[in-house]
Amino acid sequence: MSLKHYLQFTDLTAAEYAYLFERAALIKKKFKAYEKHQPLVDRTLAMIFEKASTRTRVSFEAGMYQLGGSVVHLTTGDSQLGRAEPIEDSARVISRMVDLVMIRTYEQTKIERFAEYSRVPVINGLTNEYHPCQILADIFTFIEHRGSIKGKTVAWVGDGNNMANTWLQAAELLGFTVHVSTPGGYEVNQAVAGVQSDCYKVFQDPMQACTGADLVTTDVWTSMGYEAENEARKKAFADWCVDADMMRAAKSDALFMHCLPAHRGEEVEAEVIDGPQSVVWDEAENRLHVQKALMEYLLLGTPQ
Ligand code: CP
Ligand code: NVA
């Protein structure tokens, strides 16, 4: 199997996603039935965190153990990564000792440099630019609740951030449309997303973006690494709080998603995230199942 990294959503094809969604469903079914699924016995995953995490850490760590493998957890503070050892050297060393690496860091260029010097697959566990594992889980969650996402409309309300960029990449690849509404100055950067504009439409009014949507989704106003902008962002984003009126503007069976962690009363009202259209807990759980399918695929391909 040739070396395959997962650094952006565009690193896999639509056919590969179709396989992963089917495989994740099977892996989830086995997990729910307490049936062992251990294709990665003796394999080791290194997880490198330069930013905080709950879901990404638990889902990758529990997932790798459930697949029969083991995990090494590194952070900037407790490794030489925080003491300026070059990324290229870290990549050469770590990838001689483990079978797979997951990295959560700042600039996408850091993970790209690591991957260039890695002998094993590297997975993006969130960068400033992208969060592909989350969108993998979100689309799997949509499919579970509503079937294929092809031809559907996703409303993105809030920051033009890593999640927004990745939704756009997914829309172009899998054939759906994203209605994007951000405050001025926080727009998505089409060059970073690397997509054509016909996979997304921009709306100044978040209510218009939600109109007729099959899925309404948002994220924190201030992503990790941008904390110094918090006060300015709170002012700029005040009208970009997903509320019951926005959900009423969407289709009557529209879902609500949020990658979490959430701030009730900021980017979403409690009645929406805790309401009947919200699937945020399924979304979080599905990180586990889709990433198990992803890790298995990157290491073993498509086992018969
Ligand atoms: N959604 C997500 O990636 O959560 P964590 O920051 O807790 O990993
Ligand atoms: N956009 C958020 C997602 C957190 C999972 C961040 O980057 O902090």
Side-chain angles (χ1 to χ4, degrees):
M1 168 109 191
S2 62
L3 182 58
K4 214 182 238 306
H5 300 298
Y6 192 55
L7 307 183
Q8 302 191 28
F9 201 84
T10 50
D11 284 343
L12 296 178
T13 63
E16 288 176 303
Y17 281 112
Y19 167 77
L20 283 182
F21 293 137
E22 255 184 49
R23 192 72 180 167
L26 176 79
I27 288 172
K28 181 172 183 175
K29 202 167 149 205
K30 290 174 90 173
F31 175 79
K32 297 285 179 189
Y34 295 96
E35 206 181 306
K36 275 191 182 165
H37 179 74
Q38 301 198 320
L40 299 186
V41 171
D42 290 338
R43 306 293 179 110
T44 306
L45 165 72
M47 305 190 298
I48 301 172
F49 284 98
E50 299 208 288
K51 292 174 175 170
S53 168
T54 297
R55 279 145 289 270
T56 303
R57 168 139 189 215
V58 176
S59 54
F60 270 104
E61 188 159 340
M64 192 56 178
Y65 284 124
Q66 290 162 17
L67 291 170
S70 52
V71 178
V72 176
H73 176 249
L74 293 165
T75 66
T76 315
D78 67 12
S79 67
Q80 301 291 3
L81 290 160
R83 297 180 63 252
E85 181 166 12
I87 290 174
E88 294 78 2
D89 293 0
S90 303
R92 287 182 177 109
V93 171
I94 294 168
S95 71
R96 281 182 179 228
M97 300 182 189
V98 303
D99 302 280
L100 189 58
V101 179
M102 189 285 305
I103 306 179
R104 167 168 287 196
T105 188
Y106 292 88
E107 297 79 17
Q108 181 73 10
T109 49
K110 287 178 91 171
I111 198 169
E112 282 167 2
R113 275 165 62 203
F114 193 105
E116 196 183 333
Y117 289 86
S118 173
R119 294 169 22 145
V120 303
V122 176
I123 298 173
N124 181 346
L126 182 146
T127 58
N128 290 349
E129 289 87 347
Y130 311 111
H131 197 2
C133 292
Q134 183 67 56
I135 301 301
L136 186 61
D138 293 1
I139 294 174
F140 179 71
T141 306
F142 186 90
I143 293 168
E144 278 189 323
H145 284 270
R146 296 284 181 266
S148 172
I149 198 163
K150 198 172 175 148
K152 300 285 199 264
T153 300
V154 174
W156 176 264
V157 176
D159 192 15
N161 64 11
N162 44 10
M163 283 290 297
N165 290 334
T166 315
W167 269 115
L168 298 192
Q169 293 192 329
E172 189 159 82
L173 197 60
L174 302 180
F176 59 93
T177 306
V178 185
H179 287 182
V180 180
S181 180
T182 70
Y186 299 95
E187 294 87 357
V188 285
N189 182 333
Q190 192 175 339
V192 175
V195 296
Q196 300 299 315
S197 58
D198 59 359
C199 72
Y200 75 101
K201 291 187 190 135
V202 173
F203 296 82
Q204 282 187 341
D205 180 357
M207 191 72 92
Q208 274 181 13
C210 293
T211 301
D214 299 278
L215 166 64
V216 176
T217 185
T218 186
D219 188 10
V220 291
W221 290 342
T222 305
S223 286
M224 291 180 280
Y226 297 84
E227 289 80 3
E229 300 174 13
N230 199 25
E231 286 313 306
R233 284 172 172 266
K234 274 189 176 172
K235 288 194 190 101
F237 282 81
D239 293 333
W240 277 262
C241 172
V242 177
D243 59 17
D245 287 340
M246 288 187 200
M247 291 308 296
R248 271 192 288 274
K251 285 202 178 129
S252 57
D253 68 345
L255 299 174
F256 172 78
M257 289 191 193
H258 188 311
C259 65
L260 306 176
H263 302 81
R264 289 168 177 77
E266 289 193 11
E267 73 273 8
V268 60
E269 291 296 2
E271 65 177 321
V272 172
I273 192 168
D274 299 319
Q277 288 165 278
S278 172
V279 290
V280 297
W281 313 123
D282 291 343
E283 221 187 321
E285 179 193 322
N286 284 334
R287 291 288 302 275
L288 174 72
H289 310 302
V290 298
Q291 288 163 195
K292 284 167 75 176
L294 177 69
M295 290 192 283
E296 182 192 57
Y297 180 64
L298 293 178
L299 287 176
L300 303 179
T302 52
Q304 295 310 309

